[in-house]
Each structure stands twice: as structure tokens, then as C-alpha cells.
Amino acid sequence: MIAPGMINGDLLLCQVAERLVQATRHGDTVARLGGDEFVILMTELSNTEEVAAVQSETLAVKLLTKVSQLYDIEAISYQCSASIGITIFNRSADVVGDLLKQADMAMYKAKATGRNRVCFFNPKMQADVNTKAEIIQELYTAISNEQFELYYQKQVDDHGHAIGAEVLLRWRHPMKGMISPAQFIPVAEDTGLIVPIGQWVLQQACQMLASWAKASATEALTIAVNISAIQFNKNNFVQTVLDALHKTGANPRRLKLELTESMLVSDIADIKTKMSALQQHGVMFSIDDFGTGYSSLFYLKQLPLNQLKIDQAFVRDILVDDNDRAIAQSVITLSQSLKLEVIAEGVETQAQRALLQSMGCSAYQGYLFGKPCSIDELEI
Ligand code: C2E
Ligand code: CA
Ligand code: CA
């Protein structure tokens, strides 16, 4: 902080401290290290590093504005500026001294670039903050500007016949082209935008089911829809699914919702209630990325499930990695004993398919049968 001379420095520090406390949230910590240096510890930021970076930068900019406003010290007006350095931490193993050093280095970098600046310790984070902030802004307009599209990826049985498709979200950005869901779904989840986006996906998928129902070649096909935990945990989730079915006239028995294992660890009673309510209408459930989380078999048995989906991470090296093969085999055996269907995803070669089949798998999805594509390109 740079303060002009000839004023009561202690009073200035007190007023600055007051402004810092006012601008931070309840639960954050504001401390003065000494001299004119303050440290702010922000907790409860997002677990996604890039989003946490955007959140902390937003606060930093707010602090700079507050600190640079006029001070009234013993009836004299003063103005000063500040430089802010930020470091993000997420591991309990981080050493406090190291974190302070990182923030200090970032602060000197900020100071070197001029007054009232914010800098991150990690330069990549600085770049990420800029892109993430941009994505958040643009996501808000993506729905209303109809920039989302659904791609379809075929799912097949033992004979290679289509049994359905999984819908995968695509964002056709007017300037940046196609953006992968891996890039924007975490941001959409953090901002809650996944709720309206997910609702749009459901609605579109149901519309497609309703149109497939009109032709004998497609009437028996199912559509699998990925459901985010944020979406599923909403109180009105069941109603929104039923609304989509009702509005489109889609057959609930052709709709399969893909949940991930990690979603099933929290409030099991609530999860079971929601799943059962939808199952009563005929809606099916699959557990995506199975094998990557920590499902309790006891919980699994209680849930109205239809399918386990072997994660592509185990399929990729199934021919060469004994551990992957063992995990895939146990998912297949488990599904058989729980009387569930099992599907393998990420199947790219005949050899992978043949091995999975010999292990008891009976449904497949992957580049071998078709990459995700627009509905016009889908061959079923
Ligand atoms: P996921 O549900 O595990 O989807 C499978 C991903 O693997 C897709 O990536 C798909 O394109 C890719 N894939 C399929 N077959 C193969 C293969 O043979 N080899 C390889 N290497 N990859 C294959 P995509 O489309 O980029 O989607 C990534 C993730 O984004 C999805 O993973 C899902 O978690 C999420 N996602 C996609 N659409 C939605 C959506 O509508 N809602 C929500 N909540 N999440 C979505
Ligand atoms: Ca999926
Ligand atoms: Ca998956």
C-alpha cells in the first residue's frame, strides 16, 4: 500500500482495515502482517481451481476499488492505492509460509505493473482467469442464442444392432467453434447454469424419443441423458423430468438417465425417493463411469437401477492391463448378480469388444460403432 506522508498512518491503517473487513465475506479472515501489508484468507471458494481463481479475482478488484476511495483522516482527505497478489491453495499439505511467500511474490509482481493491480502467483492461472470469466459470461447467452446442440452416440448389442444412443452436449460458439463439454460443464455446474442447460438437454432428448416413436425402425431405441449432481439435487428434479416427458409425449420407458457414482454417496434416502418416483413412470437409470468412484454395494442394492456402465478408463487398456481387466470383469459379474444390464463405453477396437463379450458384457458404445455425431449423421 502506498500512503502519502504527513498523515496519521495508524489512523489510515485502521480505516483501510475497516474497508477490507466490510468488503470480505463472513468467514473470511483479514489480518495485518505488519507495516502496510494485509493478508486475507478466503475460504469456501469453489473446488474447481479456475472458478476459485475467478472468485478471488472478483473480490480483489472490489477491494482495490474500496481501498482507493478517499479517506477522511483528521479532517484531511487522502487517497492511496494498493497492489494485490493472489495464490490459490487446495491441499492440506500446503505450507502456510510457502503460501504467504507466493502471495508476496505475486503482490510484488502486481506492484511492478502499476498501481491498483492484481496478480496471480501462477501465470497459467492468470490466463485461466481471463478465459474462465469469459466462458461464464458467454454461457449466459448461449442458451438464449441457441448455441447448444446435441450429438448422438450409438449404443449396440452383442450383434452390433443399435439399441439406443447417448446424447452428448456440444457448444457451437460463434467465434471459437465447437467447445467440448469437458471445458464448460464444470463451469456450468459451478455457476448453477447446468440446471437450465440440463433441462434443455432433457427436453430435446424427449422430443427426439417422441419423433423416433413414430417409425418402426426407431421406436424401440432408448436415449441416455447425462445428469449432473447439481441438477439431480434440485428439489424439483423429478417434476422437471416428468414435465419434459409430458410436454413431448415421449415414452418414459425409452428414457435412461445416467448418474455418476459420486452422486450416490450423499443423502441416500432422497436419492432413492427421486429415483423411485421416476422409475414408477418407467424411466430407467444407469450408473456412468462405474468403477471410478466408491459405491457401497449396500446402497447400490437399494436403488432402482437398470444398468452399470463400465468406464472407458478400464476399457482403454483392457487388453494389456491386468488390473483394468480385473475391474471390468468385476463390474460385469456384479451387474449379473444384481440383475442389471451392463454396457462398456469407449470401445475402439474389435479386440476390446471380443474380450468384453467373452467376459459377459452384452452392450457397447464407442468409436468402433460410431463417434458422437449430429442426428442427421446418426446411422441406426
Ligand atoms: P461421458 O458421459 O463419460 O461421455 C463419454 C465421453 O467419451 C464423450 O465425450 C464421448 O465423446 C467420449 N467417447 C465416446 N466413445 C469414445 C471412444 O471410443 N474413445 C474415446 N477416447 N472417447 C470416446 P464428450 O462428448 O466430450 O463428453 C465428455 C463428458 O461431458 C461426458 O462424459 C459427460 O460427463 C459430460 N457431458 C456431456 N454431455 C452432457 C450433458 O448433456 N449433461 C451433463 N451433465 N454432462 C454432459
Ligand atoms: Ca455418460
Ligand atoms: Ca462415462
Side-chain angles (χ1 to χ4, degrees):
M1 188 160 319
I2 303 155
M6 307 283 288
I7 56 146
N8 185 331
D10 286 350
L11 288 180
L12 177 63
L13 284 172
C14 289
Q15 289 197 18
V16 169
E18 238 166 67
R19 290 183 191 186
L20 295 182
V21 171
Q22 272 169 17
T24 46
R25 300 167 310 175
H26 190 73
D28 293 337
T29 306
V30 179
R32 184 171 147 251
L33 266 196
D36 58 358
E37 281 189 12
F38 290 87
V39 170
I40 294 174
L41 176 69
M42 293 176 76
T43 52
E44 286 173 39
L45 295 179
S46 163
N47 278 326
T48 311
E49 201 171 62
E50 293 86 349
V51 179
V54 172
Q55 291 171 324
S56 53
E57 202 217 18
T58 307
L59 176 74
V61 170
K62 185 170 148 197
L63 292 175
L64 286 181
T65 317
K66 292 260 180 212
V67 169
S68 60
Q69 280 162 9
L70 279 180
Y71 293 85
D72 181 8
I73 292 168
E74 294 173 328
I76 307 169
S77 288
Y78 282 102
Q79 198 165 17
C80 65
S81 66
S83 306
I84 298 182
I86 302 178
T87 191
I88 305 270
F89 62 98
N90 194 16
R91 288 151 296 157
S92 50
D94 283 323
V95 177
V96 175
D98 289 350
L99 291 172
L100 285 174
K101 257 184 237 154
Q102 291 174 359
D104 205 42
M105 280 166 67
M107 192 265 286
Y108 277 102
K109 209 162 70 185
K111 221 175 200 171
T113 52
R115 292 182 175 191
N116 279 325
R117 298 291 172 95
V118 181
C119 257
F120 279 85
F121 169 68
N122 177 345
K124 185 181 168 293
M125 195 157 282
Q126 189 74 48
D128 285 352
V129 162
N130 301 340
T131 33
K132 271 294 159 339
E134 222 174 88
I135 290 187
I136 292 174
Q137 267 310 314
E138 293 171 344
L139 266 179
Y140 276 100
T141 52
I143 297 189
S144 49
N145 293 358
E146 296 179 6
Q147 292 169 5
F148 290 117
E149 281 173 35
L150 288 186
Y151 267 28
Y152 292 76
Q153 189 178 29
K154 196 156 68 165
Q155 298 181 329
V156 302
D157 65 13
D158 262 343
H159 308 286
H161 297 144
I163 49 176
E166 175 179 6
V167 290
L168 294 156
L169 192 57
R170 295 289 178 270
W171 181 7
R172 195 183 288 278
H173 190 284
M175 312 294 286
K176 298 174 191 160
M178 217 52 128
I179 304 181
S180 143
Q183 260 178 288
F184 69 83
I185 288 203
V187 184
E189 287 180 331
D190 259 298
T191 49
L193 282 167
I194 193 66
V195 176
I197 296 172
Q199 181 58 16
W200 179 86
V201 173
L202 267 169
Q203 182 80 26
Q204 297 292 310
C206 289
Q207 215 149 29
M208 191 51 66
L209 278 177
S211 106
W212 279 358
K214 294 182 191 138
S216 57
T218 48
E219 66 179 353
L221 299 175
T222 58
I223 288 186
V225 177
N226 291 286
I227 302 293
S228 151
I230 314 276
Q231 207 183 342
F232 186 84
N233 289 336
K234 286 272 162 201
N235 287 335
N236 63 353
F237 176 71
V238 171
Q239 199 50 49
T240 56
V241 177
L242 294 179
D243 283 349
L245 287 164
H246 188 72
K247 267 191 209 149
T248 55
N251 180 353
R253 293 180 194 286
R254 301 283 179 269
L255 180 65
K256 190 179 280 172
L257 304 183
E258 291 196 2
L259 311 179
T260 56
E261 263 186 298
S262 54
M263 292 168 59
L264 306 179
V265 293
S266 51
D267 186 351
I268 193 80
D270 181 58
I271 293 165
K272 198 173 161 186
T273 307
K274 283 178 171 162
M275 288 175 74
S276 302
L278 287 169
Q279 188 209 32
Q280 273 171 17
H281 288 84
V283 176
M284 296 181 290
F285 290 94
S286 176
I287 304 197
D288 203 358
D289 307 338
F290 195 79
T292 60
Y294 304 94
S295 305
S296 143
L297 298 185
F298 176 70
Y299 283 170
L300 272 189
K301 236 180 72 167
Q302 297 184 57
L303 297 174
L305 289 172
N306 302 81
Q307 186 184 66
L308 301 182
K309 198 167 191 182
I310 305 172
D311 190 57
Q312 53 180 287
F314 307 117
V315 174
R316 194 174 302 125
D317 296 325
I318 196 164
L319 297 168
V320 290
D321 188 318
D322 292 346
N323 291 331
D324 288 350
R325 196 160 54 239
I327 294 173
Q329 181 63 73
S330 39
V331 177
I332 293 168
T333 310
L334 177 67
S335 70
Q336 287 164 345
S337 50
L338 291 177
K339 302 205 167 36
L340 301 175
E341 296 163 19
V342 62
I343 184 167
E345 72 175 354
V347 180
E348 295 185 354
T349 66
Q350 278 295 356
Q352 289 170 336
R353 194 203 71 102
L355 178 58
L356 284 157
Q357 188 172 15
S358 73
M359 290 161 69
C361 189
S362 54
Y364 313 87
Q365 181 182 344
Y367 294 172
L368 177 62
F369 311 98
K371 291 196 170 180
C373 59
S374 69
I375 191 69
D376 300 331
E377 294 164 313
L378 185 69
E379 290 172 6
I380 40 178

